[in-house]
Amino acid sequence: MPTAKIDEQLSLLCQRASEIKLCMVVSSDGLVIAHHGNVSEPDLFGAYFLELNVVCEKILTELKYDSIEEIYIRSKSGAVTLLPIFDKGFLACLSSADINAGKIQILTWKYVNRISEYLVD
């Protein structure tokens, strides 16, 4: 798996929007494949994002809804966006509260498609 190419895509994503402070690709089993931005413990955050994904999937299953397409959580000080990369993992982004929800959605979907090319089974 060419992690250098994934790192490059994550760097480009952060450059596209200064409000994005951290982004990472996490495998479907919670391992951090690559990340860009300052985070003291990337593996811990990868585990947090995996747990968030698991909890949301359980909620959707109980409601008999389809699988997750996007998780977006906003607080007064920032936002978390999680998007699945097909069945290969997910892209997680932490951004400031100043970012427009539509902008982060469009950017992250674009980079999910780019990154998915580098995630091989």
Side-chain angles (χ1 to χ4, degrees), residues 7 27-29 44 51 54 58 61 85 88 101 110 120-121:
D7 285 332
S27 70
S28 54
D29 57 357
L44 179 63
E51 288 301 316
V54 168
K58 285 180 181 179
T61 300
I85 305 174
K88 300 174 182 179
K110 182 183 292 187
V120 292
D121 295 327

Side-chain angles (χ1 to χ4, degrees), residues 2-58:
T3 57
K5 292 192 180 268
I6 296 171
D7 285 332
E8 179 183 337
Q9 292 302 314
L10 296 177
S11 176
L12 290 171
L13 172 56
C14 287
Q15 289 174 20
R16 294 285 310 270
S18 61
E19 300 92 347
I20 299 175
K21 306 301 179 194
L22 167 71
C23 53
M24 63 175 47
V25 174
V26 181
S27 70
S28 54
D29 57 357
L31 299 174
V32 176
I33 295 169
H35 75 281
H36 183 80
N38 292 330
V39 61
S40 58
E41 297 183 53
D43 291 332
L44 179 63
F45 275 86
Y48 287 155
F49 293 139
L50 175 66
E51 288 301 316
L52 177 60
N53 191 62
V54 168
V55 167
C56 290
E57 193 67 50
K58 285 180 181 179

Side-chain angles (χ1 to χ4, degrees), residues 34-99:
H35 75 281
H36 183 80
N38 292 330
V39 61
S40 58
E41 297 183 53
D43 291 332
L44 179 63
F45 275 86
Y48 287 155
F49 293 139
L50 175 66
E51 288 301 316
L52 177 60
N53 191 62
V54 168
V55 167
C56 290
E57 193 67 50
K58 285 180 181 179
I59 292 168
L60 291 179
T61 300
E62 287 294 317
L63 295 173
K64 296 183 174 60
Y65 285 171
D66 291 335
S67 296
I68 294 172
E69 289 190 24
E70 175 182 13
I71 298 169
Y72 181 74
I73 300 171
R74 186 179 177 101
S75 73
K76 290 180 183 178
S77 57
V80 175
T81 306
L82 252 59
L83 288 107
I85 305 174
F86 305 103
D87 61 344
K88 300 174 182 179
F90 52 90
L91 172 64
C93 293
L94 297 175
S95 58
S96 69
D98 300 335
I99 197 161

